[in-house]
């Protein structure tokens, strides 16, 4: 059983609109806190969107996700998993970016995650735009390349933007492959769609062995079949999960900078996460929630719900003796 100190505050004890907002009402444990060594899963905010090329706003995502996550309760209604009783979860706060300097911000992010990983903590991230994932991978995959299951409407595999700019939210996984952080033959990208500039990103994916599953194939085959293939591609090795909120149709998740029509609904968005059971997950993120385009807060609540679903998959693997479902 987990330490009761790390259990979230119940809505029966303190109304959900009251108190200081942390991820899922968990305790805040900073990197200098003596209780850091007791944490199994760290929820981390990366309030940074300097890689955004059009509609900015994901820098405000972690704060909005924290606020909406106060609606999350202790038990998964579908699976029965109670992750906070299995592992010690805590809000580790935000990585402090330098919004005026992309390279400096990425160094800060990698350094933060180096500390988290050195403490033996599983990193669960709330972004931030998708460039945030690159410096996280630099920490997570420092010793050897990892596989990745990537939910998105875009591949984020472009070579560059604006005649040579190599670090944007459309390029992180091209850089990750080039830097040897990802094993491309163990990477599966699901839900890709929308209008395109050209086929350069898909051509690169094909050349290195990345499996791209476009949305048309996703809908034709269904969640179970597609996720079975994704698990097979990931295999038994270390695998990172990266979930862009724009994977979901904007009818259900309008609060994002680069929406694409024709995506999955909110139930399918949760269903794909539940099908990650069996994958050796060593880190995960939920990115591109943009509060300026999320007037109702519904996108952030869906994002918080997806983070909870990921915790329900991850927790039983970290402490198998506590798994009850």
């Amino acid at each position: 059983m987990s330490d009761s100190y790390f259990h979230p505050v119940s809505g029966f004890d303190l109304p959900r609109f009251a108190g200081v907002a942390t991820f899922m009402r968990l305790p805040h444990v900073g990197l200098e806190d003596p209780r850091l060594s007791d944490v199994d899963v760290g929820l981390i905010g990366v309030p940074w969107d300097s890689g955004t090329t059009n509609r900015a706003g994901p820098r405000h995502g972690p704060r909005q996700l924290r606020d909406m996550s106060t609606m999350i309760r202790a038990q998964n209604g579908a699976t029965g998993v109670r992750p906070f009783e299995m592992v010690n979860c805590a809000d580790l706060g935000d990585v402090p970016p330098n919004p005026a300097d992309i390279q400096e911000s990425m160094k800060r992010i990698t350094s933060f995650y180096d500390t988290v990983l050195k403490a033996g903590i599983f990193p669960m991230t709330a972004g931030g735009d998708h460039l945030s994932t690159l410096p996280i991978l630099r920490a997570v995959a420092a010793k050897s390349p990892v596989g990745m299951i990537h939910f998105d409407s875009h591949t984020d595999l472009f070579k560059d933007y604006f005649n040579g700019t190599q670090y944007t939210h459309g390029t992180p996984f091209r850089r990750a492959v080039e830097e040897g952080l990802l094993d491309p033959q163990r990477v599966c990208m699901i839900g890709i769609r929308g209008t395109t500039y050209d086929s350069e990103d898909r051509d690169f994916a094909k050349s290195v062995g990345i499996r791209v599953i476009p949305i048309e194939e996703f809908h034709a085959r269904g969640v179970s079949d597609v996720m079975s293939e994704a698990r097979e591609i990931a295999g038994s090795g270390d695998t990172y999960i990266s979930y862009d909120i724009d994977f979901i149709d904007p009818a259900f998740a309008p609060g994002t900078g680069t929406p694409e029509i024709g995506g999955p609904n909110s139930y399918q968005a949760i269903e794909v996460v539940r099908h990650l059971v069996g994958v050796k997950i060593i880190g995960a993120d939920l990115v591109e929630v943009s509060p300026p385009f999320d007037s109702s807060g519904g996108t952030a609540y869906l994002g918080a719900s997806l983070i909870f679903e990921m915790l329900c998959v991850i927790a039983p693997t970290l402490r198998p003796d506590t798994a009850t479902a």
Side-chain angles (χ1 to χ4, degrees):
M1 295 291 290
S2 64
D3 185 334
S4 61
Y5 174 81
F6 293 99
H7 288 192
V9 176
S10 171
F12 290 149
D13 297 327
L14 181 71
R16 298 188 181 279
F17 52 81
V20 176
T22 60
F23 285 120
M24 301 177 199
R25 314 190 93 192
L26 291 163
H28 172 247
V29 177
L31 296 192
E32 303 299 324
D33 194 303
R35 299 217 63 163
L36 185 69
S37 61
D38 297 327
V39 178
D40 298 311
V41 177
L43 288 90
I44 303 162
V46 181
W48 184 61
D49 61 6
S50 295
T52 301
T53 56
N54 186 19
R55 303 197 307 175
R59 67 181 60 187
H60 304 292
R63 184 169 293 186
Q64 179 78 333
L65 284 161
R66 281 187 175 92
D67 191 24
M68 298 308 295
S69 75
T70 62
M71 290 293 293
I72 300 296
R73 300 176 182 88
Q75 180 169 315
N76 189 308
T79 66
V81 173
R82 298 175 67 87
F84 308 119
E85 294 181 6
M86 294 179 175
V87 293
N88 292 340
C89 300
D91 187 330
L92 303 189
D94 287 342
V95 180
N98 178 348
D101 191 323
I102 285 179
Q103 295 298 333
E104 171 65 17
S105 289
M106 289 197 291
K107 289 178 182 177
R108 292 185 182 195
I109 294 168
T110 300
S111 177
F112 190 102
Y113 282 80
D114 282 340
T115 301
V116 169
L117 294 169
K118 188 176 293 185
I121 298 171
F122 180 100
M124 178 71 244
T125 303
D129 74 32
H130 223 150
L131 183 57
S132 304
T133 306
L134 177 60
I136 296 171
L137 284 172
R138 287 173 176 168
V140 170
K143 295 180 180 178
S144 61
V146 299
M148 182 176 70
I149 298 177
H150 173 207
F151 303 102
D152 205 326
S153 59
H154 313 98
T155 65
D156 297 344
L157 283 172
F158 281 98
K159 180 180 179 182
D160 55 45
Y161 277 52
F162 307 110
N163 298 316
T165 301
Q166 294 200 328
Y167 296 98
T168 78
H169 66 167
T171 67
F173 302 127
R174 181 69 161 260
R175 302 289 86 80
V177 170
E178 293 170 350
E179 294 179 24
L181 305 174
L182 290 175
D183 175 355
Q185 296 192 18
R186 293 185 52 238
V187 172
C188 183
M189 299 184 165
I190 303 169
I192 309 306
R193 63 188 186 274
T195 57
T196 65
Y197 296 108
D198 52 40
S199 62
E200 191 261 332
D201 60 327
R202 303 258 192 130
D203 293 342
F204 175 78
K206 186 175 181 180
S207 73
V208 297
I210 291 173
R211 172 70 164 112
V212 175
I213 299 179
I215 197 64
E216 294 81 8
E217 183 178 347
F218 175 87
H219 286 308
R221 293 173 58 189
V223 169
S224 180
D225 192 33
V226 165
M227 292 308 299
S228 177
E229 182 183 357
R231 291 194 304 272
E232 183 178 347
I233 290 169
S236 60
D238 290 351
T239 302
Y240 190 83
I241 307 300
S242 192
Y243 201 125
D244 189 323
I245 201 73
D246 73 30
F247 167 70
I248 306 159
D249 191 274
F252 302 91
T256 191
T258 316
E260 301 288 358
I261 63 168
N265 61 33
S266 56
Y267 178 73
Q268 292 168 314
I270 288 172
E271 193 179 8
V272 295
V273 175
R274 293 175 181 168
H275 279 271
L276 291 171
V277 171
V279 177
K280 188 180 178 184
I281 304 172
I282 44 80
D285 64 46
L286 186 286
V287 300
E288 297 284 359
V289 171
S290 185
F293 303 104
D294 190 29
S295 58
S296 71
T299 306
Y301 180 53
L302 178 51
S305 300
L306 289 165
I307 292 173
F308 178 74
E309 291 287 343
M310 291 190 214
L311 289 178
C312 291
V313 172
I314 293 158
T317 70
L318 297 179
R319 294 235 186 127
D321 56 309
T322 64
T324 59

